[in-house]
Structures are given as C-alpha cells and as structure tokens.
Amino acid sequence: MTSTTFQHTRYVISENLVTFGAFALFLVLTLFAIFGEAIAPYDPLASNAAAALQPPSAAHWFGTDQLGRDILSRVMVATRLDLGIAVMAVALSFLVGSLLGTCAGYFGGWSDRIISRCIDTLMAFPLFVLAMGLVAALGNTVANIIYATAIINLPLYTRVVRSEILVRREAGFVEAARLTGNSEWRIMARHLFPNVLPVMMVHISLNMGWAILNAAGLSFIGLGVQPPTPEWGIMVAEGATYIVSGEWWLALFPGAVLMMAVFCFNLLGDGLRDLIDPRMRT
Amino acid sequence: MTLHQSASSTTATDTVTAQLLSVENLDVEFRTRSGTVKALEAVSFAINPGETVGIVGESGSGKSVTAFTLMGVLDRAGKVANGKALFQTDRVAVDLLREPESSLRQLRGKELSMIFQNPRTALNPIRKVGKQITDVLRCHTDLSGDALRDRAIEMLASVRIPDPEQRYDAYPYELSGGLCQRIMIAIALACAPKLLIADEPTTGLDVTTQATVMNLIKDLATQQQMAAILITHDLALASEYCDRIVVMHAGHVVESAPTHSLFRAPRHPYTAKLIAATPEPHKAFADLIPIAGNLPDLKATTIPPCRFSQRCDRYEPALCDQAPLTRQQPVPEHHVACWKPLE
Amino acid sequence: MAHSTGKIIGQRILGAIPSVIGVIIVTFLLTRALPGDPAAFFAGPAATAEAIAEVRATLGLDKTLPEQFFLYLGDLVRGDLGTSLTTGQTVVYDLATRLPASLELTLAGLVFAIALALPLGILAATKPNSWVDHGVRLLATAGVSLPTFFTGLFLIYLLYYRMGIVPAPLGRLDILYSAPPPVTGLYVIDSLLAGDLALFWAAASQLFLPAVTLGLFALAPLARVTRASMLGMLSSDFIRTARASGLPPRQVLFGYAFRNAMLPVITTLGVVFSFLLGANILVEKVFAWPGIGSYAVEALVASDYAPIQGFILTMALLYVVLNLLIDLLYVVIDPRAGVEA
C-alpha cells in the first residue's frame, strides 16, 4: 500500500465510523452464524407449553413463542440459515453472472446478443415475483430458494461485468497482453476480470442485503424453509398472528435482527463504495 | 491585506462617477475539506461605460472566479471575504456584493449579463432555445404572448442565426457549438445590458467560428454601447478585441493597462513572460518561451506576499518578500503590483 | 417534431413486444419443462390417478414441448388460464376481480413514496450537509433495508393495537360497508364518484397503513436518486446560466433543475415498480388485502398451480406495460430520447 492510498484509507475511516459499526455488526453476525448453536442459551426446537408466549424476561431475553420456545436462541440459530442462503445465492449469481458478463462484454456479437436478450427477459419480471414462481415450480426446498435468489440477481452481475469489460476491452494493457501472445481466455481471466473485482465487491455487499430480504420474504409467504426450522422470515410470519393480540415480541425480535443484518450489509456496501470509488457515491 | 492601492486612491474620486463598474479589494475564499483556498486577494479594477476590457491569465488565476463573484453565481463553497463591487445603474451605484439577492436578481440578465464557456452545457438541454430567451425576457420586461416570441426571434436574427423562426423551436442538441454560443449571446443581450461578461466565449469552438463569435460580440457591443469584460487565457485574442487588459496571476491583479501600452512596455515580469509565450504569426514555435513553475499553493497558511515570486527570475529575497505588496502607477492608467517592475 | 415523437412512441411500443414474448415463454417453461409431473401439480395434491390423467390430456402434456407451447398460446389468446381449485372459478375471473385491489394498493404506495421522496430529495440537494441531507441519506440506506412484511406488522402493532388510530388490518373495507359501484375499481375513487364521503373515509383509512408500508420501501431509492440528480443539476452549467440571467429562484429550481433532474428519477421508477410489485405480495398477506398477491399466496399454500401461473403472467405483463409507460413518459419529457437510436 502506497502512502497516498494509506492516507486516503485513513481519511475514509475517520469519515466513516458508521461503516466500522457495520463491520463490527458483521463480525457479530458471522460469529452467530458459526457458533450460534453452541452459544444459544436454549434448544431452539425444544417446546415448553408451560412457558408459552412469555414476554421478554431475564430468563428469556427475547421472550418465548406460542410453543414456549426461546426466541433469542431461535434468532441466533437462524443466522446461519439466513446468511447461508444469501451467501450461497450471491456466490452463485456472482460466478455465473461474471462468466456471462465477461463473455458478452469481451466477445460481443452473437454471444452478447443472446446473453443480453436472456437477461432482458429476466428483467421483464418483477424480480420477487419471478423468484416466487421459480420456487413454486422447482419445488418447495431451501436449495430452490437459493437457486431462485441467484437467478433474480443474475442480471445485476451480468450487466455490471459486461459494461465494465466493454470499457476495458480496448484498453492499452489488454492490447499489450494480446500482442504478447496471451490467449483470449487468459486475457479475460488474468487481465480483464481482476480489474472489475473492486467494483463488484461493492455490488456484492449491497446485494447481500437484498438477497437476505428476498429469502426471508419467500419464507414469510411459506416457501422454502419449513417450520419448525428457525428462520427469521418464518418466525416473523408465525409471530404475525400474535401482533394483533399484543404479543409483539414474537415478530419484533426476528424482524429487527433481519433488518439489522440487511442494514449492516447495505452500510458496508456504502462504505466500500466510498473507499473504492468515491465518484460512485450518490 | 497585502495588496494596497496606494497612489491612485486620491485621483480615483473624480473618475468614480464615470465608471460603470469598479471592483475594489475583492477577497474570495473557498472552504474545502482540506483547508481554505484564498482564490482572490485584493482584486481591483474598473470598467468605463462602453469599453471592452480583457482579463487575462492562466487557468487557476481567478478570472472565472472574479466573473462568477460579480454575477453572484459562485459555487456554494466560495465566500466573499472582503471588498466592494460598485455597479452604476441609471439611478444609483449598487454594490454587487452587498445588495440583497432579490434586487440583484433584477440586475442580472438585464443590466449585466454573462456568457459562459462550453455553450453546449450552458444551455438547458431539454428546453427549446427560443423559450430560454423568452424566459429571460418575461422576467425582465413587460412583454407577453406573441410579443415575447417576436422579440426572441428578433434576438435570434440579431445574432445572425439563419432561419430564426425555425431555430426558435430547436433544442440545444440539434445545434452546433457555434450556434449554441450565439444563442447564449442572444440570451445575454436580450435585455440590452450595460455590461457583458464573456467567460472564454470561444473555447471549444473551431477557429473560424471563434472569429465570427468574437466579431459578433464586438459589433453588438459597439451597437448597443455596451461595456464588455472578455475573460480569456489567450493574450492574442484579448489584444485584438480589448481597449484595456487586466492581467491576473494566482488570484492577484498583477498589471492593468491600455492594450497598446501593455504590449509596448509590460511592467510586470509575469506579463512580459506571458507575451513572450503567446504565439504570433511571425514567431516560430521554438521562439515561444514557456513560463516555468506552477501557481503557488493557495491553501498554504503562509503565501508569499508576491504570489509570482517563486516563478520570477527577478526575485530578490529581501525586497520582494515585503508585505504588503503595493500597487504602483509608473505612468498614467498603467498599474503594476511588483516590487521590482520592468522599466 | 410531433411527427417524429409519434414515431419514437411507436418504436417503443414495438420494442416491448420481445419482452412480452420472453415473459410468455418463461411462464410456459416454468410449468412444463421442469422436473416433476406438471399434471399432478395442476390437478392438486388430493387428485386421483384418473384426475391427473384427465388434466394431462386437457393440458396436452402428452404432446411435444413446441406443440404444448402453441396450445398454451391458444389458451392465452382465448383468455383461458385454467381454473382455480380453491375458489372453483376461472383464474381469469379471479384475477380480474382482484386486480383492482392490488392496483389501488400499488398506486397509493407509489403516490405516497413520490409525495415524500421528491420534496425530501430536493430539500436535501438544496441544503447539502444539513441535517435534512444527512437524514435523507440515512433514510435512503435504512429504507431499502426494511423487510416490508416486518414494517407492516410493526405499524399495525403501533397504530392499530397500541394507538387504535387505524382500523383492523382486514382487507379493503370494514364489513359494515359495501363496496361502491365499480367504475375504476379503486374504492377510494369510486366512493368519491358515488358521492359517498363516509365510504371514502372507510376505504381510505383501510388503505392508509398498507399503502404507507409499501411506500416506505419505494421511498428510499426514489429519494436517493432525486437527491443525487438534483445535486448534479444544481451545480450544472445551465443552472448557472439561468441564475446569471436573473431568473427567479422558483423557476430555476423547478422549471430548470427539477425537470432535468426528473429524467434519472423516471428511469429509477422501473426498478421501483419491480420492488413495489414484489413487496405487494408481502403487504397483501400482512394486511389480508384481497388482491392478486394474497390470491397467489393462498394458491401457493394449497399447491393450486393454475392461479400461480396466471398471477406471474399478469404481474410480468403489468410490469412490461409499466416499463413501457415509463419509457413513453421519458420520451415526452426529454426531446433527445430516441434520437441517437
């Protein structure tokens, strides 16, 4: 790291305490995702009719649900599933989208036309509706939630990578690599794609939040994850019935944690954007 | 305060009534994240009715900042720290820096107007050019309805735009850069102002268009007995069209004089170098002498009193570091801000 | 000019046709070309072997894929989307009766979002780094982080259960009222047309909370883009020209800056509609809103496939039409649109 980038980084850090708060939250979430089951105070699936629908207390910080299960434990354990779905989905659409986008941008011509046409068709759907249709058609499983979320995120990655590659295709360093006898695939993999990565990191972070929201939304309407598995969307859905009778904690805590997780990734994305390319800031 | 008008202050009083615009000791600062930039310091000059004055300098010398300050369109970060800018209207002299915004707005576009560089971006891209002229007319005159349109078309004709009636309905993207600049001129002159500020009006235009645009400005200025400030980095252009020239360097006015006397006997070393660096038909490219060094850092807490001292080969440590740097008048109407002016 | 604008509009309408074809192909593939037995899907979970075989024959599932596609197209042309097992009605009938509810909700949400986002964005842009500006930037990040279903529940708890200032979240109208004579299908408008203020109030107060929930989600991207594009416009050269010409601040801000700044906002509306139509499903479920979203969710729970397919097709076509309208609006505002194409 040169001294100017160091100064820039330090400046950005001092200007972005919020981003560091988000990063701390991200670490906590990661911790829960990895060790959630080990550190949860109760068994997330153990029901206890005697302790049903208890408001938050010293014993049950987030209260208990209609079956007497500890909500805090369920929220903690759910982290792995919720983040896992989002990470897998984003990774999948990043890999496939990058490949498609690179091909479309680099080769142009018919491969570009076919890929762009397919992406446009995906974009012709309201994305959440498409995800819902995909899960309904593919079958109601967690794996299909991941595929559906990945597919609706595909246009974003393909388009961003395609346009970034298009800009750089004729750049001097690519021409130099070509003249020194690198193969097309090697140029794409070793010279073009790494240059696109920083911009993609910003999109990945912002996209993670959206993926979490989508997956939780799908399970809220009863797709994918099935009860009694702890998952934030389902927990909110189950708690929804109790809102109108005043038992707010059932839906509030999983919903609030879900919101914080999404917020955390969005803030991280904003922070990364400031760090990588201040001009992208809006 | 480092730059003072010494000798001329006594003689100034009798000429003050004749001056259309007199700028005195103008300081402008920009607040940025990394410190305050002293963009203008003690800028003083005056414009008489009907005369054309060139403000010349490198980019970053503060020419545009001066113009924007006078028009009240400075960026948000820019602040007038000190100074006066008296503009003579029909009845009273108005301080362009102190007067309330609402009454200044009635002057802008009517008594003093401005044309900008990059005519393509200086026009509203999604409004018909004719409408952009009538917007100004509606704001400053009693005209309405068809009379507005007729007047706008008249303006288009007066800036020699072919087919003015058709062009009224054109959008800027449909016109060439030269035509856009004429539209700009039409907007600026729509209300027959007393002073026109032209900020690099020919930058970005091709050479033949440059001459037509400049001649147009000059002709209309003569016709309407309008004073004009021509802001340019092009000394040759200024010498061709201006009665007087004000030379700026790093936010200072370093020299001001009638054009012929400035060229015959430049007093400030910077002006002399600027003239030597200006291409002329009889000079070979190799004869041009670039000016060494860069503008000083105007963010620094201590800027030398003479902002040219670090680039100047006549620099003398003790003499030139004296503050405040005073303005001298070696011959009438010729001012120079230098401790060691050329003879 | 008028002639060429007409031509551009025609081009845009033609340009939407590939999207429509794409949408039809994808909805077709979603049901026919996927693993599992589509006939069993359409026949429902309790169907007998004979019923499944019958469905297979009616849907033409024993034919080749292209043949099936043309059969499907024929059905579409005839307006036949199958029958819902849960309601016993044709899917087209169900969708047609429920669509106005969804449209009313979406439009109200959009109006709420725009009514708040534009002034906020403009205010933030005219006072950069003020508290309004920081507030709007926080809102822009926080707003897209809100799970719609969660905000809805939270608002219900606060405004209905705790404060009691909104009616119970149970659909479009309290059972005490009957629906106004349908003209537009939107209760708040139809009740006004019928001159029934009490009914209007009843419908509006039911609509309020779901619309706000939906609007909060769409608010963030709109405010963000408005702020950014207004900021860009206010520091642009032509705004300086307008100010130097002495135009009144109101005209500079709204006549010059705002109109130009609207162009990126209109483009963003496409994404916003994608959000809104998706979030609609969740909001309808939370508020028991009798629109096509809750219809689809009910069908999903009952594994009733024909309504879901019809729902997805309707939503996608609606979205194509909305995008087309956005495109046309853009052409009307920006004279440069379509020139380079």
Side-chain angles (χ1 to χ4, degrees):
Chain A
M1 193 183 271
T2 66
S3 75
T4 47
T5 45
F6 175 71
Q7 274 175 0
H8 180 63
T9 312
R10 203 177 56 178
Y11 171 71
V12 169
I13 289 172
S14 64
E15 289 282 296
N16 291 282
L17 286 174
V18 181
T19 309
F20 276 76
F23 189 68
L25 188 60
F26 170 71
L27 290 182
V28 172
L29 286 172
T30 316
L31 217 66
F32 281 178
I34 299 171
F35 302 111
E37 270 166 50
I39 53 179
Y42 296 87
D43 178 354
L45 297 175
S47 50
N48 174 7
L53 291 176
Q54 281 182 359
S57 63
H60 300 281
W61 289 5
F62 286 3
T64 58
D65 67 5
Q66 72 281 10
L67 297 175
R69 295 173 295 194
D70 180 52
I71 293 177
L72 174 64
S73 306
R74 286 177 68 74
V75 166
M76 283 168 74
V77 172
T79 315
R80 182 184 299 172
L81 184 55
D82 275 277
L83 292 193
I85 291 174
V87 168
M88 302 273 275
V90 168
L92 203 59
S93 48
F94 172 68
L95 286 177
V96 179
S98 304
L99 193 66
L100 291 178
T102 310
C103 287
Y106 189 75
F107 293 121
W110 60 267
S111 64
D112 185 22
R113 272 198 294 280
I114 290 175
I115 291 170
S116 295
R117 177 50 69 197
C118 289
I119 293 301
D120 285 349
T121 306
L122 286 185
M123 297 283 288
F125 285 87
L127 294 176
F128 186 75
V129 175
L130 181 63
M132 181 180 149
L134 283 167
V135 179
L138 290 168
N140 208 344
T141 65
V142 173
N144 288 339
I145 291 267
I146 295 175
Y147 294 137
T149 311
I151 288 174
I152 63 171
N153 283 327
L154 206 54
L156 171 81
Y157 292 99
T158 311
R159 287 188 157 192
V160 172
V161 172
R162 176 180 174 274
S163 63
E164 293 285 331
I165 295 285
L166 260 183
V167 176
R168 291 182 172 81
R169 186 172 62 183
E170 306 301 334
F173 68 93
V174 175
E175 200 54 41
R178 199 173 288 140
L179 290 175
T180 47
N182 287 283
S183 75
E184 303 279 23
W185 287 102
R186 197 181 153 81
I187 292 171
M188 275 193 280
R190 301 293 297 275
H191 297 272
L192 272 173
F193 190 66
N195 278 290
V196 178
L197 269 178
V199 179
M200 295 310 290
M201 284 308 297
V202 177
H203 285 283
I204 286 176
S205 183
L206 291 173
N207 197 224
M208 267 296 287
W210 201 62
I212 296 174
L213 265 189
N214 259 303
L218 288 174
S219 33
F220 180 79
I221 57 172
L223 287 175
V225 188
Q226 298 301 323
T229 316
E231 191 278 339
W232 296 333
I234 284 198
M235 292 177 73
V236 177
E238 288 180 341
T241 1
Y242 296 91
I243 279 277
V244 283
S245 51
E247 282 100 8
W248 48 269
W249 58 90
L250 269 72
L252 178 86
F253 290 112
V257 171
L258 164 64
M259 196 173 79
M260 266 166 50
V262 179
F263 197 37
C264 163
F265 281 106
N266 284 339
L267 285 177
L268 277 180
D270 280 352
L272 268 180
R273 171 167 50 199
D274 286 359
L275 194 71
I276 289 168
D277 185 3
R279 282 165 308 167
M280 274 166 72
R281 185 173 183 164
T282 53
Chain B
M1 192 56 30
T2 51
L3 203 72
H4 285 269
Q5 197 149 359
S6 54
S8 61
S9 59
T10 44
T11 53
T13 40
D14 55 346
T15 52
V16 112
T17 44
Q19 285 170 351
L20 177 65
L21 172 75
S22 101
V23 177
E24 287 165 35
N25 285 322
L26 176 62
D27 291 359
V28 170
E29 298 175 350
F30 280 86
R31 312 246 155 83
T32 68
R33 277 188 187 179
S34 43
T36 302
V37 179
K38 291 173 180 158
L40 293 185
E41 191 178 57
V43 166
S44 303
F45 61 90
I47 314 284
N48 296 318
E51 81 173 335
T52 302
V53 175
I55 298 185
V56 177
E58 295 161 89
S59 31
S61 59
K63 304 163 299 196
S64 291
V65 173
T66 309
F68 289 172
T69 308
L70 295 177
M71 293 304 294
V73 291
L74 210 53
D75 287 349
R76 193 180 291 271
K79 291 276 176 294
V80 175
N82 186 39
K84 274 198 283 192
L86 293 176
F87 181 75
Q88 191 68 37
T89 66
D90 291 335
R91 290 150 292 140
V92 284
V94 174
D95 187 344
L96 297 177
L97 310 176
R98 297 276 179 281
E99 200 71 11
E101 192 56 27
S102 55
S103 49
L104 284 176
R105 211 160 47 236
Q106 281 157 22
L107 293 180
R108 287 180 204 138
K110 186 165 185 246
E111 304 266 331
L112 74 162
S113 28
M114 178 156 177
I115 54 183
F116 297 88
Q117 43 185 324
N118 302 328
R120 287 184 158 283
T121 56
L123 292 170
N124 187 342
I126 61 169
R127 197 158 172 80
K128 290 175 178 173
V129 293
K131 293 275 182 202
Q132 299 191 44
I133 302 176
T134 54
D135 281 343
V136 180
L137 286 170
R138 190 178 298 112
C139 170
H140 295 299
T141 64
D142 297 332
L143 297 175
S144 62
D146 284 346
L148 271 179
R149 189 191 159 90
D150 293 346
R151 178 85 183 99
I153 290 172
E154 215 176 284
M155 280 316 298
L156 290 176
S158 78
V159 292
R160 297 168 206 161
I161 287 182
D163 302 327
E165 262 129 60
Q166 276 87 53
R167 292 285 198 257
Y168 181 93
D169 288 320
Y171 290 98
Y173 77 92
E174 296 170 312
L175 303 175
S176 68
L179 280 184
C180 282
Q181 192 56 289
R182 289 186 208 197
I183 304 280
M184 274 300 310
I185 297 170
I187 291 176
L189 302 191
C191 303
K194 291 199 183 66
L195 175 64
L196 172 74
I197 303 177
D199 183 9
E200 305 270 7
T202 57
T203 309
L205 303 181
D206 57 55
V207 187
T208 43
T209 323
Q210 280 183 9
T212 7
V213 165
M214 279 316 300
N215 288 333
L216 181 67
I217 294 176
K218 188 74 189 169
D219 290 355
L220 291 171
T222 321
Q223 242 173 57
Q224 303 189 356
Q225 295 176 319
M226 173 182 73
I229 298 178
L230 172 66
I231 292 176
T232 177
H233 61 276
D234 184 349
L235 199 56
L237 187 82
S239 69
E240 198 172 331
Y241 292 97
C242 299
D243 306 317
R244 272 193 312 125
I245 288 176
V246 174
V247 182
M248 288 189 74
H249 174 264
H252 281 172
V253 169
V254 292
E255 187 163 10
S256 87
T259 307
H260 57 91
S261 108
L262 188 88
F263 273 83
R264 189 159 24 84
R267 301 287 171 156
H268 198 283
Y270 176 65
T271 315
K273 285 184 179 255
L274 211 51
I275 292 171
T278 302
E280 275 176 59
H282 64 267
K283 277 202 260 185
F285 187 73
D287 291 341
L288 302 180
I289 304 156
I291 304 176
N294 291 309
L295 296 178
D297 178 14
L298 299 184
K299 257 180 230 163
T301 39
T302 51
I303 307 169
C306 171
R307 291 180 175 185
F308 188 62
S309 57
Q310 271 136 38
R311 304 169 77 181
C312 185
D313 39 24
R314 293 169 63 82
Y315 173 64
E316 242 179 65
L319 173 70
C320 293
D321 289 338
Q322 295 178 84
L325 176 64
T326 55
R327 176 172 301 192
Q328 305 166 28
Q329 195 173 2
V331 290
E333 290 192 62
H334 197 140
H335 301 273
V336 60
C338 181
W339 286 114
K340 214 181 150 190
L342 299 160
E343 294 304 319
Chain C
M1 277 317 284
H3 171 70
S4 67
T5 307
K7 209 172 111 188
I8 292 166
I9 291 175
Q11 280 171 356
R12 293 295 152 105
I13 292 174
L14 286 177
I17 289 175
S19 299
V20 173
I21 295 172
V23 161
I24 292 174
I25 292 176
V26 171
T27 35
F28 169 76
L29 289 179
L30 272 182
T31 54
R32 315 291 162 111
L34 292 168
D37 184 358
F41 259 128
F42 280 99
T48 58
E50 295 88 68
I52 293 176
E54 197 187 331
V55 168
R56 197 187 311 279
T58 25
L59 290 176
L61 291 173
D62 38 6
K63 300 196 168 67
T64 63
L65 213 57
E67 277 177 318
Q68 287 185 46
F69 182 65
F70 285 106
L71 280 176
Y72 177 70
L73 275 185
D75 285 347
L76 281 186
V77 171
R78 271 179 277 117
D80 180 6
L81 291 174
T83 308
S84 163
L85 297 171
T86 8
T87 63
Q89 301 282 356
T90 64
V91 170
V92 172
Y93 172 83
D94 279 345
L95 287 173
T97 42
R98 283 166 159 263
L99 189 60
S102 295
L103 286 181
E104 185 173 38
L105 178 58
T106 310
L107 287 179
L110 182 70
V111 167
F112 171 79
I114 289 180
L116 225 62
L118 296 192
L120 278 179
I122 294 172
L123 213 59
T126 45
K127 295 186 168 69
N129 289 321
S130 67
W131 63 268
V132 189
D133 186 28
H134 291 303
V136 168
R137 276 163 56 185
L138 183 71
L139 182 95
T141 310
V144 288
S145 311
L146 292 176
T148 339
F149 50 94
F150 173 65
T151 356
L153 288 172
F154 193 69
L155 288 175
I156 290 174
Y157 177 73
L158 226 60
L159 298 180
Y160 166 68
Y161 181 77
R162 294 309 290 258
M163 297 157 90
I165 50 175
V166 295
L170 295 169
R172 297 178 83 183
L173 267 186
D174 197 290
I175 41 164
L176 292 175
Y177 295 91
S178 54
V183 182
T184 58
L186 313 181
Y187 283 5
V188 278
I189 293 177
D190 285 351
S191 61
L192 282 180
L193 290 177
D196 189 342
L197 279 180
L199 186 61
F200 167 76
W201 184 246
S205 55
Q206 291 283 353
L207 180 61
F208 175 73
L209 215 49
V212 167
T213 307
L214 199 54
L216 278 180
F217 193 56
L219 179 68
L222 282 176
R224 189 183 199 128
V225 174
T226 308
R227 174 184 172 275
S229 81
M230 261 319 254
L231 262 184
M233 284 309 147
L234 285 176
S235 61
S236 68
D237 287 356
F238 72 88
I239 289 299
R240 188 155 51 206
T241 310
R243 284 165 60 207
S245 309
L247 297 187
R250 183 172 286 271
Q251 190 178 8
V252 173
L253 194 60
F254 294 105
Y256 276 60
F258 181 68
R259 250 192 77 158
N260 278 279
M262 272 307 92
L263 296 174
V265 177
I266 290 170
T267 315
T268 315
L269 274 182
V271 181
V272 168
F273 271 122
S274 174
F275 276 11
L276 276 177
L277 294 178
N280 217 5
I281 305 171
L282 301 169
V283 175
E284 285 187 11
K285 181 174 190 302
V286 170
F287 288 88
W289 196 259
I292 58 173
S294 55
Y295 176 65
V297 173
E298 282 158 27
L300 211 55
V301 174
S303 301
D304 184 1
Y305 210 81
I308 301 173
Q309 193 192 7
F311 165 74
I312 291 167
L313 187 66
T314 312
M315 280 296 220
L317 291 180
L318 189 63
Y319 186 51
V320 170
V321 170
L322 286 171
N323 271 325
L324 182 63
L325 288 178
I326 290 168
D327 239 21
L328 296 185
L329 185 62
Y330 201 101
V331 172
V332 169
I333 293 188
D334 189 353
R336 293 164 297 181
V339 169
E340 64 276 19

